[in-house]
Amino acid sequence: MVLLVVMGVSGSGKSTVGSHLATKLGWKFYDADDYHPTENTKKMAQGIPLNDQDRIPWLCKLHDILMREESAGQSVILACSALKKMYRRILVSGGDAVYSKSNQLEEQGDSATGKVLFILLDGSMELIASRLEKRRGHFMAPELLQSQFDTLEPPSAPENFITVSLEKSVSEIVSEIEKSLHLEKCFSRAVSELNAH
Ligand SMILES: Nc1ncnc2c1ncn2[C@@H]1O[C@H](COP(=O)(O)OP(=O)(O)OP(=O)(O)O)[C@@H](O)[C@H]1O
Ligand SMILES: O=C(O)[C@H](O)[C@@H](O)[C@H](O)[C@H](O)CO
């Protein structure tokens, strides 16, 4: 069972890549956009960036979804911006992570830390802006892209993550993620076998 979070700034391709990957793997897909309260979508549509107070209840709801799927033994893919380290800790460990020191959960070896794999879709603001210009019918104001990059804290050790360039086709990105998942699975199996002896 795997819990994947496809993360990145607005327009990086989280919904597109996440849904294609879920279809290819036959896993459930959740789009975090569907769980923003109206107040959040209204703010973003007006070009007002969200703040921690706007995002924390939303992230707690998404954590509950991940834990529900984990309890059901169901692999799942969540498309979610997850811009800050604190936000990713909330997705992994729930609301208590708001009050934990920066690496406390990782230092304690929080059991859920290893269960969630973050996949950062990484690329230039120019390319993402060009894609947002072409996107139609989405509530997110394209002018918010700068604030997204200003807020982004890219994942780093000891977080469980991989980085994939968004400057490829959707199918190439999906294939690259599948290969990484396969390698991760082989590695985990090898470690379990070593530990068993
Ligand atoms: N690899 C890609 N190549 C070309 N176009 C892409 C790629 N990935 C996404 N797109 C296009 O870029 C736009 C943004 O993609 P998408 O809506 O999936 O991003 P997002 O990160 O989910 O954005 P938001 O967080 O605002 O919902 C869409 O029009 C999508 O069709
Ligand atoms: O954390 C945030 O600021 C939001 O989640 C954005 O990153 C998303 O792109 C928004 O949901 C639009 O889809």
Side-chain angles (χ1 to χ4, degrees):
M1 180 271 307
V2 180
L3 303 172
L4 285 188
V5 178
V6 181
M7 63 164 285
V9 299
S10 177
S12 55
K14 301 181 294 296
S15 305
T16 305
V17 169
S19 54
H20 279 74
L21 183 63
T23 302
K24 192 131 186 246
L25 295 173
W27 295 358
K28 269 187 176 179
F29 173 68
Y30 289 92
D31 194 328
D33 288 353
D34 299 335
Y35 296 86
H36 274 302
T38 314
E39 307 79 63
N40 283 7
T41 48
K42 276 186 181 157
K43 274 185 89 168
M44 291 184 278
Q46 290 161 4
I48 305 168
L50 301 182
N51 57 36
D52 289 352
Q53 287 64 40
D54 298 321
R55 294 191 177 106
I56 288 171
W58 167 66
L59 292 160
C60 289
K61 215 181 294 176
L62 297 168
H63 165 76
D64 292 345
I65 289 172
L66 290 176
M67 293 305 106
R68 187 184 69 217
E69 293 298 346
E70 184 206 12
S71 310
Q74 170 76 39
S75 287
V76 67
I77 297 173
L78 169 67
C80 176
S81 44
L83 297 173
K84 288 186 180 179
K85 285 184 185 299
M86 177 182 73
Y87 297 164
R88 296 190 287 274
R89 286 205 302 275
I90 295 171
L91 287 173
V92 171
S93 305
D96 292 349
V98 177
Y99 310 104
S100 71
K101 291 190 185 67
S102 59
N103 287 327
Q104 193 174 11
L105 290 164
E106 287 86 357
E107 281 154 13
Q108 287 164 356
D110 181 86
S111 60
T113 304
K115 291 197 183 90
V116 181
L117 175 66
F118 290 94
I119 299 172
L120 171 65
L121 297 180
D122 183 42
S124 70
M125 185 183 293
E126 293 69 26
L127 177 56
I128 294 173
S130 70
R131 288 179 180 172
L132 286 175
E133 280 310 306
K134 289 182 224 147
R135 186 171 70 174
R136 293 291 173 265
H138 193 287
F139 61 79
M140 188 72 170
E143 59 270 22
L144 272 179
L145 187 56
Q146 181 60 59
S147 75
Q148 294 277 298
F149 273 96
D150 295 343
T151 308
L152 179 63
E153 297 168 356
S156 59
E159 291 184 275
N160 191 20
F161 73 100
I162 59 174
T163 300
V164 177
S165 167
L166 54 81
E167 305 192 11
K168 301 173 183 166
S169 70
V170 176
S171 54
E172 284 169 329
I173 293 172
V174 167
S175 301
E176 185 174 335
I177 295 170
E178 280 188 285
K179 281 195 197 93
S180 303
L181 288 177
H182 178 68
L183 286 173
E184 171 120 352
K185 198 171 170 186
C186 297
F187 177 74
S188 311
R189 192 180 299 131
V191 168
S192 318
E193 282 162 14
L194 277 172
N195 290 339
H197 292 88

